[in-house]
């Protein structure tokens, strides 16, 4: 085991994938200078400089041109490379929506399976850091609405490393939504190369009274809530789906079958968010198990304001999750 | 450039394939035998074939909604293309792409795009892969004068130039974006925009001459293969049919005299005369080639008729390489 940060784990997964397969390349804005954590070391000297290790043919700074970055990655993936594109902020993805939706997601299908699309699009969600509306979105639900793209939302260093490696080695396009808020999180990560399969949720904590499905930064928040709730005699089971496409329905349905109660904590906006989809799934498939209405804890349908005084209240935190749990458990009335 | 006779005859064959294929497709749309519509390349055959034949067999190509000519020009078999147009199982895309989204990876055709300009970044990426893998392959992006005003073209040109990617940006300027005359929406000359990106810009005024187009594109291909980077080529041409088959507009946006003068410059007829004048082939031989190609198109239509409809389950296949289940 090695202690690794979330960002360090992302760097390690990329380094190992590049060492294992010469078809893997990285391009994006400022990747040579490691501005957004492509290399994952504390400094260039500390962990090895990707540019020095792999050369300028495989590590490429791009112009600020998201549309061609995304489209070129698709074209390169269809013709023998396995690109990792570092798109830095998740809001920058919008610049390339046509390429994501019409080319990346649809090419394999529309051309009758002729194309394979082994490409990973990494971006960081900078919410909670006073970067205001143009930098703070959590846009994964928009892409859940589009078949053809796989989506990972790691909430720990180990998951970030294992999922990212699976994504790089997979023949389908993957969007990796990394939470900037978790960049510094550290834990023991198993040594060497490893893969975590997509579509397999992690039960972060077992419990018997309420199922809490938590996404991205809501996972540590739910774990914090669990400690407080334990003192109140409420035992929650925390499930991190880890990937949203594919989504591990069985894990959630099995847990709800035991607890009969569901809270979904999702830092994305409320309407048509991941929480909405998960709630609908449980309402459709496990209605008979439910002892209380499902509660979603999400970011409200507003934009992200700059001022910390305004922003802080918006995202699912331990207090909000605990309150929702108390409500479905019937220990709090409102 | 002096070309061998068999190459010249192959150019005529490919132009005839496009002409007869599209003439048949046009009829089939009008008879209701093709669902939806098609956009024909009739009148633009020289520009398509001149460009495609300047590429090697292993080279890559992307295109747009006016899509049949490109894969045919690149050497695709007609049967699976026609089966695709009618939405059958033996279609080159298994009936999921249709006329506007043909692709035949076997001949380097990486896909036509129904979104104007959207395949330009894809071709750029194929060129990046050639560069990184150092495999000597060249890419060519076909796009129209309408797409010349899409931002992604300029993102792609800048990236291709700064990375010296082996790609040709080929603007098929047929002078109208659907009904909109090019000069009313496009500032300056498309080819001249290349200079801002530090690459050669070539305007081929006679896009009805397959040899003129071939020479211009061949030079760009040689340059790309030598590692000298991209070229923008604008080829002036004219589509003889309406934007799409069956489209009827209240306004005739192209005047009769203009149409008349372009119809006189039919690339297929012009090249037939050239081949005769140069002694490459006599009338009987050329008649024979025309009959052969007509028979190929007949066989393609028969292939499409013989093909079964796709199984309904195909609608849920190939969303992913590794399926994750489709909600039904």
């Amino acid at each position: 085991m090695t202690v690794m940060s979330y960002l360090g784990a992302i760097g390690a997964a990329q380094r190992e994938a590049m060492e294992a397969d010469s078809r893997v390349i990285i391009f994006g804005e400022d990747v040579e200078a490691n501005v957004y954590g492509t290399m994952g070391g504390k400094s260039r000297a500390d962990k090895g400089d990707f540019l020095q290790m792999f050369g300028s043919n495989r590590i490429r700074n791009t112009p600020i041109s998201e549309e061609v970055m995304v489209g070129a990655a698709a074209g390169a993936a269809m013709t023998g490379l396995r690109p990792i594109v570092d798109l830095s902020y998740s809001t920058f993805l919008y610049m390339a929506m046509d390429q994501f939706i019409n080319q990346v997601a649809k090419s394999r299908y529309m051309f009758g399976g002729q194309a394979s699309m082994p490409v990973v699009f990494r971006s960081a969600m900078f919410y909670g850091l006073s970067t205001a509306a143009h930098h703070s979105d959590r846009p994964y639900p928009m892409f859940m609405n589009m078949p053809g793209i796989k989506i990972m939302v790691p909430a720990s260093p180990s998951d970030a490393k294992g999922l990212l490696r699976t994504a790089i080695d997979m023949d389908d396009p993957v969007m990796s939504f990394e939470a900037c808020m978790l960049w510094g999180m550290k834990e023991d990560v198993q040594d060497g190369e490893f893969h975590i399969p997509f579509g397999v949720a992690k039960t972060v904590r077992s419990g018997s009274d309420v199922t809490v499905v938590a996404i991205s930064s809501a996972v540590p928040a739910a774990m914090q809530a669990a400690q407080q709730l334990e003192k109140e005699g409420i035992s929650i089971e925390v499930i991190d789906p880890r990937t949203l496409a594919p989504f591990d329905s069985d894990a959630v349905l099995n847990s709800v079958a035991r607890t009969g109660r569901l809270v979904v904590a999702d830092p994305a906006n409320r309407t048509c968010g991941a929480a909405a989809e998960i709630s609908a799934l449980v309402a459709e498939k496990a209605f008979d198990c439910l002892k209380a209405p499902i509660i979603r804890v999400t970011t409200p349908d507003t934009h992200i304001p700059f001022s910390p005084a305004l922003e802080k209240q918006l995202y699912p935190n331990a207090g909000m999750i605990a309150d929702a749990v108390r409500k479905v458990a019937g220990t709090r009335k409102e | 450039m002096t070309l061998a006779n068999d190459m010249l005859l192959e150019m005529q064959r490919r132009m005839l394939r496009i002409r007869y294929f599209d003439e048949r497709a046009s009829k089939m749309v009008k008879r209701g035998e093709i669902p939806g519509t098609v956009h024909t390349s009739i009148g633009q055959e020289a520009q398509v074939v001149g460009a495609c034949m300047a590429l090697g067999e292993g080279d890559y190509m992307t295109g747009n909604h006016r899509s049949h000519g490109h894969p045919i020009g690149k050497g695709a078999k007609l049967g699976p293309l026609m089966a695709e147009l009618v939405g059958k199982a033996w279609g080159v895309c298994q009936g999921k792409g249709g006329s506007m989204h043909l692709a035949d990876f076997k001949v380097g055709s990486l896909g036509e795009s129904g979104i104007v300009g959207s395949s330009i970044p894809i071709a750029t990426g194929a060129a990046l892969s050639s560069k990184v893998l150092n495999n000597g392959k060249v890419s060519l992006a076909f796009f129209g004068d309408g797409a010349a005003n899409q931002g992604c073209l300029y993102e792609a040109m800048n990236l291709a130039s700064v990375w010296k990617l082996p790609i040709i940006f080929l603007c098929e300027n047929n002078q109208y974006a659907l009904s909109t005359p090019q000069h009313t929406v496009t500032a300056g000359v498309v080819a001249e925009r290349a200079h801002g990106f530090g690459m050669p810009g070539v305007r081929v005024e006679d896009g009805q001459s397959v040899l003129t187009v071939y020479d211009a594109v061949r030079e760009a291909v040689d340059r790309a293969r030598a590692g000298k980077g991209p070229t923008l080529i604008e080829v002036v041409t004219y589509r003889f049919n309406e934007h799409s088959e069956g489209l009827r507009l209240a306004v005739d946006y192209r005047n009769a005299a203009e149409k008349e003068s372009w119809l006189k410059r039919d690339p297929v007829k012009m090249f037939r005369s050239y081949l005769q004048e140069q002694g490459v082939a006599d009338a009987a031989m050329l008649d024979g080639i025309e009959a052969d190609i007509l028979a190929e198109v007949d066989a393609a239509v028969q292939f499409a008729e013989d093909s079964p409809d796709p199984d309904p389950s195909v609608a849920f296949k190939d969303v992913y390489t590794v399926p994750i289940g489709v909600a039904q």
Side-chain angles (χ1 to χ4, degrees):
Chain A
M1 292 283 195
T2 309
V3 176
M4 255 185 211
S5 69
Y6 184 94
L7 196 54
I10 288 166
Q14 293 181 110
R15 189 181 65 241
E16 288 169 8
M18 290 201 73
E19 282 164 352
D21 189 340
S22 62
R23 298 170 300 173
V24 178
I25 65 167
I26 295 176
F27 62 83
E29 291 153 22
D30 305 300
V31 296
E32 291 180 17
N34 188 24
V35 172
Y36 302 103
T38 290
M39 298 165 213
K42 284 186 195 122
S43 69
R44 304 181 94 158
D46 174 31
K47 298 276 179 184
D49 180 325
F50 271 29
L51 193 56
Q52 280 171 21
M53 290 170 75
F54 302 111
S56 58
N57 200 31
R58 294 176 67 199
I59 302 291
R60 289 169 174 267
N61 269 357
T62 61
I64 303 172
S65 302
E66 283 81 5
E67 207 174 346
V68 76
M69 283 160 66
V70 173
M78 292 196 297
T79 54
L81 291 182
R82 307 185 76 85
I84 302 168
V85 187
D86 187 333
L87 282 149
S88 44
Y89 286 62
S90 297
T91 42
F92 301 169
L93 303 176
Y94 306 151
M95 295 297 293
M97 279 311 247
D98 171 58
Q99 293 299 320
F100 276 121
I101 305 301
N102 284 314
Q103 303 296 339
V104 172
K106 294 177 185 170
S107 286
R108 177 174 179 79
Y109 183 85
M110 207 164 66
F111 303 145
Q114 294 182 80
S116 63
M117 194 66 81
V119 52
V120 179
F121 298 99
R122 291 185 46 234
S123 67
M125 304 179 289
F126 274 64
Y127 60 106
L129 299 163
S130 290
T131 55
H134 279 180
H135 286 90
S136 304
D137 288 354
R138 294 82 49 227
Y140 43 83
M142 293 183 193
F143 297 93
M144 288 172 72
N145 198 245
M146 178 50 53
I149 291 172
K150 292 181 176 174
I151 299 169
M152 54 179 268
V153 280
S156 74
S158 291
D159 288 345
K161 185 165 187 277
L163 289 171
L164 186 56
R165 185 56 193 276
T166 303
I168 297 165
D169 291 356
M170 184 153 51
D171 282 340
D172 289 315
V174 174
M175 298 180 80
S176 176
F177 289 93
E178 297 153 14
C180 194
M181 227 185 255
L182 305 180
W183 271 5
M185 178 199 243
K186 284 186 178 165
E187 70 177 3
D188 276 338
V189 174
Q190 80 180 70
D191 291 323
E193 299 176 40
F194 64 94
H195 295 73
I196 293 174
F198 274 43
V200 179
K202 177 162 79 176
T203 302
V204 190
R205 182 187 195 280
S206 298
S208 54
D209 298 328
V210 176
T211 300
V212 177
V213 176
I215 295 164
S216 192
S217 67
V219 176
M223 291 302 286
Q224 210 186 320
Q227 287 177 9
Q228 174 58 37
L229 291 162
E230 190 79 64
K231 290 177 200 155
E232 298 168 24
I234 304 172
S235 159
I236 68 169
E237 180 146 296
V238 178
I239 294 180
D240 175 2
R242 302 195 288 192
T243 62
L244 296 170
F247 181 78
D248 188 351
S249 310
D250 288 347
V252 174
L253 293 171
N254 290 338
S255 176
V256 173
R258 282 188 287 102
T259 62
R261 294 180 171 89
L262 176 66
V263 168
V264 188
D266 172 13
N269 290 335
R270 189 171 186 81
T271 301
C272 297
E277 180 58 28
I278 294 165
S279 302
L281 172 87
V282 172
E284 272 180 0
K285 307 258 182 177
F287 187 74
D288 291 346
C289 305
L290 289 172
K291 297 171 191 160
I294 299 164
I295 295 184
R296 286 177 286 164
V297 182
T298 66
T299 301
D301 289 331
T302 182
H303 296 298
I304 303 305
F306 165 70
S307 167
L310 296 171
E311 183 183 17
K312 211 165 44 176
Q313 62 184 325
L314 297 176
Y315 312 114
N317 60 28
M320 294 174 198
I321 294 168
D323 276 351
V325 167
R326 290 180 194 113
K327 258 192 260 179
V328 297
T331 61
R332 178 191 167 118
K333 302 229 160 36
E334 248 176 297
Chain B
M1 206 175 289
T2 315
L3 298 173
N5 285 357
D6 56 352
M7 177 98 169
L8 296 173
L9 291 171
E10 181 60 18
M11 285 178 165
Q12 183 69 348
R13 277 194 202 94
R14 291 192 191 191
M15 288 202 291
L16 285 163
R17 245 174 234 137
I18 296 171
R19 174 66 56 94
Y20 293 162
F21 183 94
D22 269 354
E23 284 179 347
R24 182 67 62 89
S26 170
K27 277 187 196 144
M28 289 167 74
V29 167
K30 284 160 192 160
R31 291 185 200 134
E33 293 164 3
I34 290 176
T37 186
V38 300
H39 305 76
T40 70
S41 297
I42 295 168
Q44 299 184 211
E45 294 90 343
Q47 158 259 301
V48 173
V49 170
C52 285
M53 288 200 64
L55 295 169
E57 272 180 30
D59 290 335
Y60 301 119
M61 177 201 79
T62 65
N64 57 9
H65 56 284
R66 196 166 304 289
S67 63
H68 317 157
H70 301 141
I72 296 173
K74 195 73 175 51
K77 289 203 177 102
L78 299 187
L81 297 180
M82 191 56 92
E84 188 61 35
L85 264 55
V86 298
K88 295 287 194 74
W90 297 346
V92 70
C93 301
Q94 299 177 13
K96 293 202 279 197
S99 163
M100 282 193 285
H101 315 104
L102 298 174
D104 189 346
F105 279 45
K106 285 195 286 294
V107 298
S109 153
L110 300 179
E112 306 287 314
S113 173
I115 307 295
V116 168
S118 183
S119 67
I120 298 168
I122 302 294
T124 308
L128 171 62
S129 114
S130 305
K131 174 104 180 177
V132 172
L133 299 170
N134 194 24
N135 61 17
K137 294 187 181 196
V138 169
S139 289
L140 185 144
F142 282 113
F143 57 93
D145 49 280
N149 294 322
Q150 284 281 33
C152 68
L153 171 62
Y154 301 101
E155 290 194 9
M157 283 172 60
N158 178 61
L159 186 76
S161 189
V162 82
W163 283 354
K164 286 206 177 329
L165 299 182
I167 181 167
I168 292 92
F169 298 100
L170 196 135
C171 177
E172 309 172 287
N173 181 358
N174 68 15
Q175 307 174 57
Y176 293 86
L178 208 159
S179 71
T180 304
Q182 195 230 358
H183 67 89
T184 65
V185 291
T186 304
V189 175
V190 172
E192 289 174 7
R193 295 177 179 182
H195 306 317
F197 296 96
M199 71 174 81
V202 180
R203 184 169 152 106
V204 179
E205 298 287 351
D206 189 4
Q208 305 308 87
S209 160
V210 67
L211 291 178
T212 308
V213 175
Y214 175 89
D215 284 345
V217 178
R218 185 58 198 265
E219 195 181 329
V221 169
D222 290 346
R223 183 184 140 80
R225 233 186 282 285
K228 293 178 183 166
T231 302
L232 170 65
I233 300 177
E234 175 188 9
V235 182
V236 183
T237 183
Y238 203 77
R239 65 172 151 74
F240 289 179
N241 286 14
E242 190 38 276
H243 166 74
S244 60
E245 297 309 288
L247 181 67
R248 298 274 177 276
L249 296 176
V251 179
D252 191 2
Y253 54 90
R254 302 194 293 188
N255 77 52
E258 175 191 281
K259 239 189 263 184
E260 198 59 36
S261 73
W262 278 96
L263 283 169
K264 282 183 192 148
R265 299 192 50 72
D266 180 323
V268 180
K269 287 183 189 161
M270 280 164 56
F271 200 55
R272 183 186 154 106
S273 303
Y274 173 87
L275 292 172
Q276 280 184 274
E277 283 160 19
Q278 297 295 310
V280 176
D282 58 17
M285 190 176 173
L286 291 164
D287 289 347
I289 288 174
E290 287 169 15
D292 288 348
I293 304 292
L294 214 46
E296 264 185 52
V297 172
D298 286 340
V301 174
Q302 189 61 51
F303 179 88
E305 277 174 18
D306 291 346
S307 169
D309 280 331
D311 187 90
S313 68
V314 169
F316 306 103
K317 283 193 181 137
D318 289 320
V319 178
Y320 300 95
T321 307
V322 182
I324 62 172
V326 176
Q328 300 196 33

